[in-house]
Amino acid sequence: MPFLDHIPLYTDIMFVELDLSNLMSKATRKKFQADLAKRRKRRQSKAKAEKRADRQARFEEEKLINERKARYQTIDPSDEFFQVPTSPVTGFPLEIDPTD
């Protein structure tokens, strides 16, 4: 946007649209009626799209969380893999030789 060339790069800019219809005359409102209607429709469709995207993102996040929960629930803590070998005599954990 050429009218923003004087602003440094990476500067946050926010545009605000104000409803000044109560300050406009009836003639002015009538003259710009089509433009105002177009802007209103654009705002509404943008809000719908954002709502839809938010809903989709929440659905995807919930799906990912449920998949991860299901994966963790399939781990059996009593599986032999998770058991530390113990000595039948003392009952203490056996020393494991890392060279085996």
Side-chain angles (χ1 to χ4, degrees), residues 82-97:
F82 297 109
Q83 304 306 313
V84 177
T86 56
S87 166
V89 177
T90 62
F92 291 116
L94 292 174
E95 292 287 326
I96 299 175
D97 187 5

Side-chain angles (χ1 to χ4, degrees), residues 13-92:
I13 298 171
M14 185 179 294
F15 293 95
V16 180
E17 197 168 339
L18 302 174
D19 180 11
L20 301 175
S21 59
N22 59 341
L23 301 175
M24 294 188 288
S25 67
K26 288 182 182 180
T28 304
R29 270 185 269 162
K30 187 173 182 174
K31 181 177 181 178
F32 293 103
Q33 185 176 12
D35 290 334
L36 294 172
K38 195 186 308 182
R39 285 178 181 268
R40 188 179 327 103
K41 276 190 172 184
R42 192 179 321 136
R43 278 194 308 272
Q44 289 172 345
S45 67
K46 190 174 183 179
K48 272 186 182 179
E50 286 177 1
K51 201 177 217 181
R52 195 177 318 117
D54 185 49
R55 197 171 30 234
Q56 181 66 28
R58 286 182 192 195
F59 173 77
E60 292 294 328
E61 183 71 19
E62 190 174 316
K63 183 179 170 184
L64 182 66
I65 289 170
N66 289 336
E67 286 174 359
R68 287 183 179 170
K69 281 182 181 178
R71 230 183 311 149
Y72 288 125
Q73 289 173 353
T74 60
I75 296 174
D76 181 11
S78 61
D79 189 298
E80 182 183 333
F81 176 79
F82 297 109
Q83 304 306 313
V84 177
T86 56
S87 166
V89 177
T90 62
F92 291 116

